[in-house]
Amino acid sequence: MGIQDDAVEVRASGWRRLAALHAVIESALERELSTRTGLSVVEYTVLDALSRQDGWHMRMAQLARAAALSPSAATRLVNRLEGRGLLTRILCQDDRRGIYTELTAEGRAVLADARPVHDAALVDALGEAAATPELSGLLESLPDLSPARA
């Protein structure tokens, strides 16, 4: 039973480090984005996901997955962003039951202002994590997150 318990502890330890890394990054992004742009991390994530699509739109289910939200949470978020003029909803031309969420011109402008804030906060958060002994090894195993690449 000792080997099995060790394996469980190794996985649990890895998960705790991953959660700690996520917390460092998320709190830095949340702080900078909300203070400097008025966007939350999830709002930025939605705008960013839409900006990477042809035509700047996605179906609601795709948007929910991209932002790691439940369908109802995605609907509430889209309602808020639509109320701020950053998104709009349009009917799908080839499936009248489908609804797309589309980034507006104002949403693209807000995102353009927010992107450098996001990117700088991410670089700073990764640097902080790299300087934390418990997290530096995890960053080394995730080369796409290496602060040196930023």
Side-chain angles (χ1 to χ4, degrees), residues 15 28 30 47 50 52 54 64 79 81-82 85 118 120 133-134:
W15 171 245
E30 192 70 49
L47 298 179
L50 287 167
R52 296 176 189 282
D54 289 337
N79 287 341
L81 292 172
E82 188 174 36
H118 173 275
E134 298 82 10

Side-chain angles (χ1 to χ4, degrees), residues 6 20 54 69 107 116 125 129 146:
D6 288 345
D54 289 337
L69 295 171
S146 171

Side-chain angles (χ1 to χ4, degrees), residues 103-148:
L103 196 57
T104 63
E106 185 176 348
R108 290 191 299 276
V110 167
L111 179 62
D113 290 342
R115 191 166 269 140
V117 172
H118 173 275
D119 294 349
L122 181 58
V123 168
D124 290 348
L126 291 172
E128 178 186 335
T132 305
E134 298 82 10
L135 301 178
S136 61
L138 180 58
L139 281 176
E140 290 168 10
S141 69
L142 301 168
D144 289 347
L145 290 181
S146 171

Side-chain angles (χ1 to χ4, degrees), residues 10-65:
V10 166
R11 283 192 298 276
S13 175
W15 171 245
R16 286 190 298 271
R17 284 194 330 235
L18 185 58
L21 175 61
H22 181 269
V24 166
I25 294 170
E26 179 114 16
S27 65
L29 292 175
E30 192 70 49
R31 181 178 54 252
E32 290 300 312
L33 283 170
S34 66
T35 300
R36 297 181 56 202
T37 70
L39 292 174
S40 69
V41 171
V42 72
E43 290 169 340
Y44 176 88
T45 300
V46 164
L47 298 179
D48 182 61
L50 287 167
S51 76
R52 296 176 189 282
Q53 301 301 308
D54 289 337
W56 300 305
H57 63 263
M58 299 173 87
R59 287 183 181 262
M60 286 293 288
Q62 294 171 304
L63 191 61
R65 280 192 305 276

